[in-house]
Amino acid sequence: MSGDRQPVSILGAGRVGAHLARAFAERGHAVTVGHRSPSSGAAAWQGPPVRHVSLAEAAAASPVVFHATPGHTALDLLTSLRVPLRDKVLVDVSNATVRQPDGAPGGLLYPEGSLAERIQAALPETRVVKTLNTMLFSVMSAPRSLGAPAQAFLSAEDAGAKTQVRALLASLGWPDEWVLDLGGLASARATEALILMAPYVVAAKGFKPFALTVALASPSPSASASASARESNPGV
């Protein structure tokens, strides 16, 4: 099986988890979805065939596991899954925030760090990768649906884990140049903080697909020409 069709597990079957499960299954991946109540989850499922199992079984089932449960309870949940998550790549797409009465993020739960760093500290034998946490869930598998190029930020300590996740992002439709590697997990502090913009974006523009991103300058024509000249004349 090629790298971009590797099996994946999804922890959680809310809007985010169900969306990712459908998207990967539609692209030919073998998908296992972890539920607190697998029988209820299977009965309510609408989408292509996937396996419905317990959270612990899902954590053990695939080499790459996506965490898509609420961020404010994630640390306790994932710590309880330490054994089945051993030696796995764990992709965290959540944000840990203090919830306002309406459910909107009102502040960071870990203002002096990040959820991703805390997960890695709690699960030292798991390779944690942070990505896809700066956009509405529908954009995770449809980056070209927006009016301008989006970006999927990538934070992790393990280079091999990043490579695996890049392949999965490509399967979801992300061009490689739209994936921005920010370095280690400390950089997740910045991307997790971006979620505080979300309620204001929704208030200003309505509840529609969006991604929080950065605009990078294109290389100037002269710089591109100079780079081409150096490539064709290494001695220059």
Side-chain angles (χ1 to χ4, degrees):
M1 179 175 293
S2 63
D4 64 350
R5 293 294 181 272
Q6 58 189 304
V8 297
S9 289
I10 313 293
L11 302 181
R15 288 188 302 182
V16 176
H19 178 83
L20 286 171
R22 283 192 292 268
F24 279 121
E26 288 168 354
R27 289 159 173 80
H29 296 264
V31 177
T32 302
V33 181
H35 305 263
R36 295 186 187 278
S37 174
S39 59
S40 298
W45 177 253
Q46 295 181 340
V50 300
R51 287 182 64 215
H52 299 277
V53 299
S54 70
L55 292 166
E57 289 173 304
S62 307
V64 179
V65 180
F66 280 74
H67 167 246
T69 74
H72 65 288
T73 57
L75 196 56
D76 288 341
L77 169 66
L78 295 172
T79 299
S80 74
L81 299 174
R82 180 187 295 109
V83 173
L85 286 172
R86 184 178 296 150
D87 298 326
K88 303 300 179 69
V89 173
L90 178 64
V91 185
D92 179 36
V93 303
S94 69
N95 293 292
T97 60
V98 177
R99 297 300 183 96
Q100 299 185 52
D102 63 356
L108 297 176
L109 194 58
Y110 307 117
E112 296 182 358
S114 68
L115 173 60
E117 290 173 290
R118 288 183 177 244
I119 294 172
Q120 185 65 86
L123 306 175
E125 296 179 273
T126 301
R127 295 176 290 164
V128 177
V129 180
K130 190 81 177 192
T131 192
L132 297 179
N133 63 308
T134 54
M135 61 198 69
L136 193 68
F137 67 91
S138 62
V139 181
M140 294 178 176
S141 65
R144 296 184 185 276
S145 64
L146 302 180
Q151 281 177 327
F153 300 110
L154 199 62
S155 303
E157 301 298 332
D158 188 276
K162 286 182 178 179
T163 298
Q164 286 181 267
V165 175
R166 272 187 178 273
L168 289 168
L169 291 176
S171 184
L172 290 177
W174 287 89
D176 192 64
E177 62 270 21
W178 289 11
V179 179
L180 182 56
D181 187 342
L182 296 179
L185 280 178
S187 63
R189 301 180 185 188
T191 62
E192 290 184 17
L194 284 177
I195 196 60
L196 299 182
M197 288 182 61
Y200 301 101
V201 172
V202 172
K205 294 294 185 179
F207 192 80
K208 59 182 67 175
F210 70 88
L212 302 172
T213 186
V214 296
L216 301 174
S218 300
S220 65
S222 58
S224 298
S226 297
S228 298
R230 286 195 297 271
E231 292 174 1
S232 60
N233 298 284
V236 175

